[in-house]
Amino acid sequence: MKNIDLAEQKETPYLDAYKKYLDEKTTVFDVPGHHQGKIRTDFNKVFGPTIYKSDVNAPRGMDNLSHPTGVIKKAQELFAKACGADYAKFLINGSSEGNLIMLMSALKANEKILMPRNVHKSAINGLVLSGAFPVFVMPEIDKETEIVNQISFRSWKKAIDENPDAKAIFIINPTYFGATANLKKIVDYAHQKNMIVLVDEAHGSHFYFSSHSPISAMEAGADMSTLSIHKTGGSLTQSSVLLVKGNRVSRYDVIKTFNLLTTTSPSSLLIASLDSARKYLVFHGSRNVKRIINLAKIARERISQIKGFKALGKDYFKRNGAFNYDETKVVVELDNLSLTGFELYKILKDRYHIQIELGETYVFLLLFTIGSKKEDVDVIVNALEKISKKYYKENIDYPLNRYANKDFPPLALRPREAYHASLKVVKLSKALNMISKEMIMTYPPGIPVIIPGERFTQAVIDELSYFKKIRANILSDFEGVNEVSVVDEVKSKKKLK
């Protein structure tokens, strides 16, 4: 946010045009068909008329997201300036859309990209759509908590040096749990080797608006990044922003790909929320991020005093491979509790009406954002104290850590090749050594256990069986993961050669 025009940043061009249109009480003969709520549905009964009245498509005066020339163009320019980017594109299908655009505009079929194996499913979808070939760089895995951590500069350098023909690298910064990389050093080295740098910044949109946060992708000199303003910046769910800097990726390719993937009927509510959130973050973001960092610190201290819980902070993550850490995240390790994080996730919601971000086997995650309040800490602490009294047991023998000898499954085919190969369906228990045609993962966070093109190993089968046993929320092509889709290598043998 250095050297930006604050007077200009007070403007909300799209929001203003939106309000003007609604105030005019226009008689409509266009889509959407409810015509600003002139129907009576159960939705209308629950939410009232305001949402329907505000749900308009792209009427005159409110510009066009695919080819903006007016207020959307101006709103995107203000966002780019606030973030130190050359230009920005509003995304109404989340950062998943942004990851697809980055990969598809920067890469062509068979071009190589270096990326962490713990990428979000959308990045794997980008490999399928672009046809690019991934070389996975393995992140550090915390054996105590099973958290997949950051990749060191040394590991990135080694991967870059060993793959000089790679077109690009893809960095997750921050990770889902808040760990950040030595981003500036990695970007500089990749650029020295003529590689494009793409950054999944979905969980770090607040970095741009606070000096109390780790460095942002644009400040580090990355070529493209996608950030979920809805996750930590205050816009509505599904609204994100794609940022681009420099000319290593053709602007024509970015716009072409954007228009390939973006609906021609975008939600005006989502676009307006981005315009409004940007102004709020510019003028109030830094103070609020500082406030919630302090609030998260208080939460860590109070939670760590409860038997059965250990809240982990920056020092812990830096000892375990992170270069820096986003202190708005609160990761809590379970200690001597007779339940898993998956079970705790359900208990907190069902019994205490508390919705946390994530529960895994040995940890759970709380997000502190610009909407968090002090009373929220009181609520979660009170609930954890009650849970501790019921489930804390001295000297619990935890099962053997499933990541003690973790190896990610080997890649046998490009994801795009596997996706298009002939299909057969087999029981999970019979899938050993077969090539997957699908992604299977727990959600959240949406990091695949196996992706199209990887071979099923016994470790993958055991892990998915474990998730099924504990009733984790599994995303796959088949409900319950009793069956999986794999490549029919006999029918596909010509392709597989």
Side-chain angles (χ1 to χ4, degrees):
M1 282 183 28
K2 296 177 181 178
N3 303 318
I4 65 171
D5 185 340
L6 290 177
E8 184 182 49
Q9 289 291 327
K10 290 180 180 179
E11 300 177 27
T12 49
Y14 187 82
L15 185 63
D16 293 346
Y18 197 3
K19 182 178 184 302
K20 181 176 183 294
Y21 179 84
L22 296 177
D23 288 345
E24 289 172 347
K25 296 182 172 60
T26 301
T27 299
V28 296
F29 293 93
D30 65 347
V31 295
H34 58 72
H35 282 185
Q36 294 187 284
K38 294 174 183 174
I39 57 174
R40 288 289 177 265
T41 66
D42 290 345
F43 183 91
N44 196 302
K45 292 174 186 176
V46 173
F47 296 103
T50 303
I51 294 179
Y52 268 130
K53 286 182 179 179
S54 302
D55 183 36
V56 299
N57 189 18
R60 178 172 169 77
M62 289 180 62
D63 209 355
N64 185 291
L65 184 62
S66 295
H67 300 281
T69 59
V71 290
I72 293 178
K73 181 175 183 289
K74 177 63 175 175
Q76 289 181 154
E77 288 172 348
L78 288 171
F79 219 115
K81 290 176 181 178
C83 295
D86 289 343
Y87 63 97
K89 297 295 291 181
F90 287 167
L91 309 174
I92 42 72
N93 194 27
S95 287
S96 292
E97 181 186 0
N99 283 340
L100 294 178
I101 294 169
M102 290 197 298
L103 287 157
M104 292 175 68
S105 59
L107 296 154
K108 296 180 175 60
N110 294 305
E111 289 184 330
K112 188 185 291 186
I113 181 169
L114 310 178
M115 61 191 343
R117 178 53 182 78
N118 59 314
V119 290
H120 187 262
K121 62 173 288 190
S122 59
I124 304 300
N125 288 335
L127 295 175
V128 171
L129 291 171
S130 68
F133 184 86
V135 174
F136 290 120
V137 186
M138 296 307 168
E140 297 293 325
I141 297 175
D142 183 340
K143 300 297 194 299
E144 289 295 317
T145 62
E146 295 193 351
I147 290 174
V148 182
N149 218 326
Q150 267 296 350
I151 297 172
S152 67
F153 170 74
R154 180 182 297 178
S155 295
W156 274 116
K157 182 180 184 300
K158 182 175 184 290
I160 291 170
D161 290 342
E162 290 177 351
N163 297 274
D165 57 335
K167 179 78 174 294
I169 72 171
F170 185 97
I171 303 171
I172 306 166
N173 195 78
T175 65
Y176 194 66
F177 294 99
T180 62
N182 193 346
L183 195 56
K184 180 72 167 64
K185 194 170 182 180
I186 297 167
V187 170
D188 287 348
Y189 192 75
H191 282 168
Q192 287 175 29
K193 301 298 180 178
N194 298 314
M195 295 182 188
I196 297 165
V197 180
L198 313 175
V199 182
D200 179 346
E201 227 172 359
H203 289 270
S205 63
H206 53 296
F207 289 6
Y208 287 88
F209 305 95
S210 170
S211 59
H212 309 289
S213 298
I215 189 173
S216 69
M218 292 295 103
E219 188 178 357
D223 300 291
M224 300 178 74
S225 75
T226 182
L227 46 152
S228 297
I229 305 301
H230 70 91
K231 283 185 169 70
T232 59
S235 65
L236 293 177
T237 294
Q238 211 172 304
S239 58
S240 296
V241 172
L242 177 73
L243 301 176
V244 187
K245 191 172 189 175
N247 57 8
R248 288 184 178 85
V249 182
S250 160
R251 183 165 183 151
Y252 169 76
D253 286 338
V254 173
I255 303 303
K256 176 181 68 175
T257 309
F258 175 86
N259 287 329
L260 178 72
L261 297 173
T262 298
T263 177
T264 55
S265 301
S267 166
S268 295
L269 285 163
L270 299 185
I271 299 171
S273 76
L274 286 170
D275 196 22
S276 177
R278 183 263 314 154
K279 177 182 175 181
Y280 180 87
L281 290 167
V282 166
F283 291 99
H284 306 288
S286 183
R287 182 178 71 253
N288 267 289
V289 171
K290 183 178 180 181
R291 176 183 64 82
I292 61 175
I293 287 174
N294 290 332
L295 197 60
K297 180 181 178 183
I298 292 170
R300 283 190 202 91
E301 291 171 350
R302 292 182 63 185
I303 290 171
S304 293
Q305 293 172 5
I306 305 170
K307 286 184 176 181
F309 302 101
K310 295 192 295 186
L312 312 177
K314 179 189 284 191
D315 291 344
Y316 179 89
F317 282 90
K318 291 183 75 171
R319 287 197 306 269
N320 286 276
F323 176 75
N324 202 350
Y325 186 68
D326 174 15
E327 294 183 278
T328 67
K329 310 287 193 296
V330 175
V331 178
V332 183
E333 182 181 2
L334 306 186
D335 182 37
N336 288 323
L337 285 178
S338 58
L339 48 72
T340 67
F342 293 108
E343 293 167 319
L344 179 70
Y345 178 94
K346 296 172 184 177
I347 290 170
L348 284 170
K349 178 60 176 67
D350 296 345
R351 297 184 191 172
Y352 300 97
H353 307 294
I354 297 171
Q355 182 64 61
I356 63 174
E357 175 62 19
L358 165 118
E360 290 202 338
T361 305
Y362 301 112
V363 298
F364 66 90
L365 174 64
L366 308 176
L367 298 188
F368 281 77
T369 72
I370 58 175
S372 298
K373 302 296 181 185
K374 183 179 181 299
E375 50 266 32
D376 298 337
V377 177
D378 297 333
V379 171
I380 186 68
V381 167
N382 289 336
L384 294 179
E385 286 175 342
K386 293 176 182 176
I387 290 170
S388 172
K389 290 177 181 177
K390 185 172 183 178
Y391 294 98
Y392 179 80
K393 310 289 182 185
E394 293 284 356
N395 302 319
I396 286 180
D397 289 327
Y398 283 111
L400 289 176
N401 192 295
R402 294 177 298 112
Y403 280 97
N405 297 296
K406 174 72 174 182
D407 287 316
F408 286 99
L411 188 69
L413 290 175
R414 277 188 306 143
R416 183 183 182 92
E417 288 180 299
Y419 181 85
H420 288 296
S422 298
L423 162 74
K424 68 177 180 180
V425 177
V426 300
K427 290 189 177 299
L428 174 64
S429 59
K430 303 295 184 182
L432 184 64
N433 294 325
M434 295 183 181
I435 302 173
S436 179
K437 273 185 63 67
E438 62 175 311
M439 274 184 284
I440 309 176
M441 71 211 75
T442 57
Y443 190 87
I447 298 168
V449 176
I450 192 166
I451 68 171
E454 289 181 338
R455 289 194 183 274
F456 278 90
T457 62
Q458 191 60 50
V460 168
I461 294 171
D462 291 345
E463 187 168 0
L464 292 175
S465 299
Y466 168 78
F467 286 142
K468 178 186 172 184
K469 180 181 178 181
I470 63 172
R471 297 181 181 179
N473 185 27
I474 302 172
L475 301 187
S476 71
D477 290 346
F478 297 93
E479 185 176 351
V481 205
N482 293 316
E483 296 178 316
V484 293
S485 58
V486 298
V487 172
D488 188 328
E489 296 188 52
V490 175
K491 290 183 179 180
S492 302
K493 61 183 178 181
K494 291 183 180 179
K495 293 182 180 179
L496 300 182
K497 288 180 180 177

